[in-house]
Amino acid sequence: MQLNSAARRVPVVLAVVGLSFGLASCSSVIDETKVESSIKSGAAAQLKIKVDSVDCPSNIEAKKGNTFTCTIKAEGDSAKIKVTQQDDQGSVRWELVKG
């Protein structure tokens, strides 16, 4: 199964959503390593695929409402993950971008 095939089914199946808490370091910057780990394990469990890697930008300010995009690679394909910050302490919600 390719990631794109799974991504097309996402709205019907589960919307690949994760929620992570405490992902900001003391300097009010999102810890991208923790976000990447959360996405990798959550997407693998929900989509039942082997996730090769997740890449998120670094030095993202922890601020409620801000969004950023990560890239997930799995089974020879890639997709975008939208990450939305839920508070100023680094809690985030992520979802696979449709298509």
Side-chain angles (χ1 to χ4, degrees):
M1 171 187 352
Q2 289 188 342
L3 190 57
N4 279 341
S5 299
R8 280 184 234 123
R9 283 182 274 166
V10 168
V12 176
V13 179
L14 54 110
V16 184
V17 173
L19 191 60
S20 302
F21 297 96
L23 299 177
S25 64
C26 24
S27 62
S28 295
V29 174
I30 297 292
D31 184 337
E32 78 272 6
T33 303
K34 289 182 180 178
V35 174
E36 291 166 350
S37 178
S38 171
I39 293 170
K40 186 174 183 177
S41 62
Q46 292 180 41
L47 292 174
K48 310 283 189 249
I49 59 173
K50 181 185 179 294
V51 176
D52 299 318
S53 66
V54 177
D55 185 38
C56 296
S58 55
N59 297 318
I60 299 293
E61 178 186 6
K63 185 172 181 182
K64 182 178 180 175
N66 280 357
T67 62
F68 57 95
T69 303
C70 299
T71 301
I72 184 171
K73 293 183 181 178
E75 299 184 0
D77 210 347
S78 64
K80 298 295 182 186
I81 300 285
K82 178 182 177 187
V83 181
T84 304
Q85 297 183 49
Q86 301 297 297
D87 58 30
D88 294 342
Q89 286 72 49
S91 298
V92 299
R93 177 182 170 104
W94 54 266
E95 61 187 315
L96 187 62
V97 176
K98 188 175 164 182

